[in-house]
Amino acid sequence: MTKISLFLICLLATAGAFGQHPVGIFDDHLDIGNPKMPGDATYDTASQVYMIKGGGANIWFNRDEFHFVYKKIKGDFILTADFEFTGDTAGAVGHRKIGWMIRQSTDEGAASANACKHIDGLVVLQWRPYRGMFMRDPEEERFYPKKGGQTIQLQRIGNVITMKIAHPGEPLQLVGSCMVDDLQKDVLAGLFICAHDSDKVAGARVWNVRIDKPVIHPYTSNPHVPPVVVHDVFASRVETIDIADGHRKVLGGFPGPVAPPPGDKPEYSPDKKYDYYSANVNGTTQIWRMRPDGSAKEQLTFDEYHNWFPHVSPDGKWLAFISYPMDIDPNAHPLYEEVMLRLMPLTTPGAARVIAYLYGGESTLHVHCWSPDSKQISLISNSEPAR
């Protein structure tokens, strides 16, 4: 073989290695299974919104056809985003689908787990346990009785994959879990779209896209198992959220966790008539308020969550706070946990609603987290460390 031939082979190999098409936080996007109608993906930096489109006959049996927007991830992670179909949906096949996918490779028959939202409202977790295996109905599926949903979450802890979904304002609901042994330590994870019709192209808008790396065992009493050092696990994002529609934007980040301010002091309302605080009186931590002299104590939240860090909007109309899951020590408020940012009206009747699902906690809401016009909240969320 001549030197020129060797040079050309090396040049082609190098071109292939750099032939990816990164979009937003993802490494690449491409069609899987060679669908008849090609797909695409774009990212708007200003709005931090992904627009994806794709063809494909199906994601099922022993091979798939769809468009995939993905990055390579190692270990445990939590994928969360908001999804909606776009474009001309008239006459669309009911099983047109969008969502999150974890996949071993770009092979059309790769082992995978898919959190699917269909255009007819069907919600399902489906998976292919091994490469080339025919997916079975209903053995490789977990159906959710409620239709539709906007926020989809797919979590991997070890080889256990869990899907959750929520309509705007409500807590995430469990769809189901599965075990996919053929998904190795390094996987491809990302957004997918499938028209479920070889002759059509489906479109979707995806926003509030977050990939989080959880701390599974931050503490252990076993002297032979070293504790996890949080600073070695986390990076942190600085974000803003619009309270009207829940749209979040990342403003920047830090290489480690952001330390919370010392103490958990009550917060005064703008008119100085009340102090807002968290207290565990009956086994769960709830939000309370009282007069500055300690009189007229009033409980404001009454649910199964542990609610911490109340912050009143400058116009006095809203109360923002962090809700921890039920299995947390009610007297603890760690900074490395799956939490909800919730909003409660103070001047009109109404229940608290979820405006963000995030990985954070103690450091998420700091003093003066509200914008002066009471329309946005700044927050800190934990994220995957930079490579």
Side-chain angles (χ1 to χ4, degrees):
M1 186 177 292
T2 66
K3 292 182 178 179
I4 294 177
S5 298
L6 285 171
F7 172 77
L8 289 174
I9 291 173
C10 292
L11 184 63
L12 289 171
T14 303
F18 291 93
Q20 292 184 323
H21 306 86
V23 54
I25 64 172
F26 297 99
D27 299 331
D28 199 2
H29 69 95
L30 78 169
D31 288 321
I32 301 292
N34 194 30
K36 179 180 176 181
M37 306 297 289
D40 198 6
T42 60
Y43 176 70
D44 182 76
T45 304
S47 64
Q48 300 184 2
V49 171
Y50 295 84
M51 301 299 295
I52 61 176
K53 62 180 182 179
N58 202 356
I59 301 174
W60 194 243
F61 296 124
N62 66 329
R63 63 177 299 273
D64 305 322
E65 290 184 6
F66 66 99
H67 196 75
F68 193 28
V69 185
Y70 68 91
K71 69 179 298 183
K72 191 173 185 179
I73 308 180
K74 179 183 295 186
D76 300 326
F77 51 81
I78 304 169
L79 314 171
T80 311
D82 291 326
F83 295 80
E84 68 175 4
F85 290 99
T86 61
D88 182 10
T89 59
V93 177
H95 278 200
R96 176 178 290 190
K97 58 179 71 70
I98 52 178
W100 283 108
M101 178 179 292
I102 302 170
R103 196 171 187 88
Q104 188 56 49
S105 72
T106 58
D107 182 281
E108 64 180 22
S112 66
N114 320 312
C116 304
K117 167 187 172 180
H118 296 73
I119 201 168
D120 65 2
L122 178 67
V123 173
V124 61
L125 170 66
Q126 63 183 51
W127 64 96
R128 180 180 294 115
Y130 301 99
R131 179 182 179 275
M133 177 178 172
F134 275 76
M135 299 166 72
R136 301 167 296 170
D137 183 0
E139 288 86 349
E140 277 79 59
E141 294 172 305
R142 294 286 184 270
F143 293 99
Y144 185 56
K146 192 173 181 178
K147 297 294 184 180
Q150 177 174 290
T151 304
I152 303 176
Q153 185 179 92
L154 193 61
Q155 180 185 85
R156 173 185 178 175
I157 304 298
N159 63 350
V160 178
I161 312 297
T162 300
M163 177 186 177
K164 297 179 182 178
I165 196 166
H167 287 265
E170 68 182 17
L172 287 165
Q173 310 291 313
L174 177 65
V175 175
S177 297
C178 66
M179 297 181 67
V180 185
D181 292 330
D182 213 28
L183 288 175
Q184 306 301 314
K185 191 172 184 180
D186 293 341
V187 295
L188 307 180
L191 315 171
F192 77 86
I193 184 166
C194 175
H196 203 85
D197 184 333
S198 297
D199 297 317
K200 296 288 182 68
V201 175
R205 173 176 175 263
V206 190
W207 68 105
N208 291 344
V209 177
R210 301 293 183 270
I211 299 177
D212 299 316
K213 300 288 286 186
V215 174
I216 306 304
H217 300 293
Y219 169 79
T220 175
S221 60
N222 186 339
H224 301 292
V225 179
V228 172
V229 180
V230 175
H231 287 270
D232 293 339
V233 177
F234 283 134
S236 300
R237 310 181 193 94
V238 180
E239 303 188 39
T240 61
I241 180 169
D242 189 310
I243 69 167
D245 60 11
H247 192 102
R248 294 159 61 182
K249 288 187 178 181
V250 177
L251 303 183
F254 301 96
V258 176
D264 179 26
K265 299 179 181 178
E267 176 162 306
Y268 285 103
S269 59
D271 58 12
K272 307 300 182 186
K273 290 183 178 180
Y274 290 101
D275 288 348
Y276 289 82
Y277 63 100
S278 298
N280 175 11
V281 176
N282 298 310
T284 59
T285 299
Q286 301 297 330
I287 305 298
W288 293 67
R289 70 181 179 183
M290 62 183 177
R291 296 293 186 181
D293 62 3
S295 65
K297 292 184 179 180
E298 179 185 6
Q299 185 175 343
L300 300 180
T301 59
F302 300 83
D303 54 47
E304 68 271 31
Y305 303 109
H306 302 300
N307 300 308
W308 286 90
F309 313 119
H311 291 276
V312 184
S313 60
D315 61 10
K317 294 181 179 180
W318 301 99
L319 181 71
F321 57 94
I322 293 296
S323 294
Y324 284 88
M326 294 173 283
D327 57 356
I328 295 296
D329 180 347
N331 298 311
H333 37 76
L335 59 84
Y336 37 79
E337 190 56 61
E338 290 183 77
V339 297
M340 299 180 291
L341 173 58
R342 294 205 288 168
L343 201 66
M344 171 181 285
L346 290 177
T347 57
T348 58
R353 61 183 172 90
V354 181
I355 59 171
Y357 316 87
L358 52 97
Y359 201 75
E362 186 178 21
S363 62
T364 294
L365 294 184
H366 286 261
V367 179
H368 309 306
C369 61
W370 282 93
S371 62
D373 61 6
S374 300
K375 293 182 178 180
Q376 292 189 323
I377 295 173
S378 61
L379 59 93
I380 303 293
S381 64
N382 296 317
S383 66
E384 181 180 7
R387 294 178 180 177

